[in-house]
Amino acid sequence: MSPLDPWLLQSSVWRCVEHLAAGEPVPHPIAVELHLGTTCNLACPECVSRPTLDTATFEPDRALGVARELASTGVRCVVLSGGGEPLLHPSAAGVMESLHDAGVSLGLVTNGTLLHLHLQTVASCAARIRVSVDAATAATYDRFRPQRGGGSSFQRVLRNLERIAPLAHDRLTYSFVLLTRQAGVGAPVDSNAADLAEAAGLAKSLGCAAFEVGIGLDARLQPAPSHAHVSSLLSDQLHAALQCADNDFRVFVDPMVADLAAGRGLREFPARGYARCPAAQIRALVGPRGVSLCPRHQCLPRAIYGDPCVTPLREIWGGTAFQAAIARVDPRSDCTGACMSMQLNDQLLCAVDWLRTHGAAPPLTDDHDLFM
Ligand code: SF4
């Protein structure tokens, strides 16, 4: 038995590991986070995409072209998310259908406000659907996820979850990110923590298959220091939320949230110990602001290596700019705070070591889940 994570042993992933172990460029990413635009209909004060909101969008035809090129280039998994609300883009349905028809695994991260416009498409095309709610009551939702221009979207989001659940129960996740805010030292702390247990029960009653608890980040992309003030409240809430779990309803808790609830304090994300990011060779951000090593670095010019608004993706990944960007970004200094690939990088580096030591591949499996 190989000690490697089974996820690494999927054929497409292992081919990338072989390139990395040989010191060769990976020909193209196999997974992409796709942003169609940067517009959102909510105005969440803690949104990590605030610096790039309303800055760019793909023309409708180009968005469809990008979807076709992702599939034809060999990308196997696409998560349509971030940078704004993906379902606001006029080509969202066409992009989802095109990727699904080409056999690309599709994930969708959405605020849920527009799901009613795309119920059938989302249900038939998306292998994973994560709806960001972060609340169980309209009062909390409206403080942390206010609608742009005023009003509340909370009831609409709940109705949309209820409508899509029968069509996509096993793929539907209610996402709850722990949010706290404090105007200054000694000022009162506002938080959504008191909603956590009720949100888990709500997610289950609406027909979601999973409830995911994440940690809110500040501008440094570290857990907000004000989270420390809700530790004991969080402990009771998390305990009650976990009571909702059963065979049909899973509850996932970020280890940092679990630590905080257990009184182990608030940890920060550690510095990276590697000079090149292997994950950036196998996953990328594609959006109207450019193709970049990862979502975290969509504003870092040296991490951006092509403009998909005007250049075909095959050309971007086939040229030298891709590897030049990998060489320019040093995670030890450029990548403080959170990123989606920290755990993936640890796994990839472990697999590279394993392959260099053993010299041959372990038994592999067909691709079954390329979401990272
Ligand atoms: S932020 Fe993370 S994914 Fe991006 S280059 Fe750094 S280590 Fe890699």
Side-chain angles (χ1 to χ4, degrees):
M1 278 285 284
S2 149
L4 299 171
D5 188 298
W7 184 85
L8 293 162
L9 305 180
Q10 300 178 85
S11 308
S12 292
V13 181
W14 195 260
R15 269 197 300 279
C16 298
V17 170
E18 288 176 336
H19 285 295
L20 294 170
E24 298 165 359
V26 175
H28 56 77
I30 58 171
V32 156
E33 179 168 326
L34 177 60
H35 295 179
L36 296 177
T38 55
T39 305
C40 193
N41 51 353
L42 300 187
C44 312
E46 282 78 19
C47 175
V48 291
S49 296
R50 283 176 77 87
T52 54
L53 283 177
D54 299 320
T55 54
T57 189
F58 279 121
E59 291 296 324
D61 282 351
R62 184 58 195 138
L64 296 169
V66 164
R68 285 192 296 272
E69 289 172 20
L70 286 168
S72 69
T73 311
V75 170
R76 308 282 303 115
C77 172
V78 170
V79 176
L80 193 57
S81 80
E85 167 50 40
L87 297 182
L88 268 177
H89 194 278
S91 296
V95 165
M96 288 189 278
E97 283 160 1
S98 171
L99 291 166
H100 176 259
D101 292 351
V104 176
S105 293
L106 176 71
L108 173 68
V109 180
T110 172
N111 63 27
T113 57
L114 302 172
L115 271 173
H116 57 290
L117 302 177
H118 300 283
L119 281 181
Q120 291 301 334
T121 307
V122 171
S124 8
C125 297
R128 293 192 184 189
I129 307 158
R130 185 202 287 163
V131 182
S132 304
V133 189
D134 306 338
T137 60
T140 304
Y141 187 90
D142 295 343
R143 287 201 315 281
F144 288 94
R145 305 188 70 79
Q147 192 166 274
R148 211 168 182 175
S152 175
S153 306
F154 183 63
Q155 294 302 334
R156 182 149 43 104
V157 171
L158 297 193
R159 270 199 309 277
N160 283 344
L161 280 164
E162 199 170 31
R163 288 168 76 181
I164 199 163
L167 308 173
H169 158 76
D170 53 327
R171 294 165 277 149
L172 187 58
T173 295
Y174 188 121
S175 168
F176 186 105
V177 171
L178 173 68
L179 299 169
T180 60
R181 60 172 74 126
Q182 187 177 29
V185 179
V189 174
D190 191 10
S191 169
N192 63 352
D195 276 30
L196 199 154
E198 191 180 341
L202 184 59
K204 189 172 182 176
S205 70
L206 290 169
C208 300
F211 180 72
E212 200 174 82
V213 186
I215 189 119
L217 304 175
D218 64 13
R220 303 166 303 142
L221 297 182
Q222 294 286 5
S226 46
H227 292 342
H229 294 282
V230 299
S231 176
S232 53
L233 171 61
L234 193 60
S235 172
D236 294 342
Q237 289 287 327
L238 199 55
H239 179 76
L242 288 165
Q243 302 299 310
C244 296
D246 59 26
N247 288 342
D248 286 327
F249 183 73
R250 292 157 298 152
V251 176
F252 298 103
V253 182
D254 183 289
M256 286 187 169
V257 176
D259 279 354
L260 192 60
R264 289 190 286 268
L266 190 62
R267 284 187 289 126
E268 295 218 325
F269 291 98
R272 316 307 192 264
Y274 35 85
R276 299 280 174 271
C277 175
Q281 302 228 25
I282 70 174
R283 72 190 294 177
L285 171 77
V286 175
R289 296 173 51 86
V291 178
S292 67
L293 295 187
C294 63
R296 159 74 194 276
H297 284 325
Q298 58 180 308
C299 294
L300 183 69
R302 62 182 178 282
I304 299 171
Y305 56 89
D307 180 358
C309 292
V310 294
T311 312
L313 291 173
R314 190 175 293 278
E315 214 173 288
I316 291 173
W317 284 319
T320 55
F322 176 25
Q323 293 305 318
I326 298 271
R328 280 196 301 263
V329 173
D330 182 344
R332 294 171 301 184
S333 48
D334 288 322
C335 309
T336 54
C339 83
M340 294 166 68
S341 299
M342 296 180 74
Q343 197 188 358
L344 175 59
N345 274 340
D346 291 342
Q347 290 181 348
L348 288 169
L349 292 169
C350 174
V352 164
D353 276 351
W354 191 95
L355 181 55
R356 286 180 178 157
T357 304
H358 291 77
L364 301 180
T365 59
D366 291 338
D367 294 346
H368 50 83
D369 178 2
L370 293 172
F371 290 101
M372 299 174 184

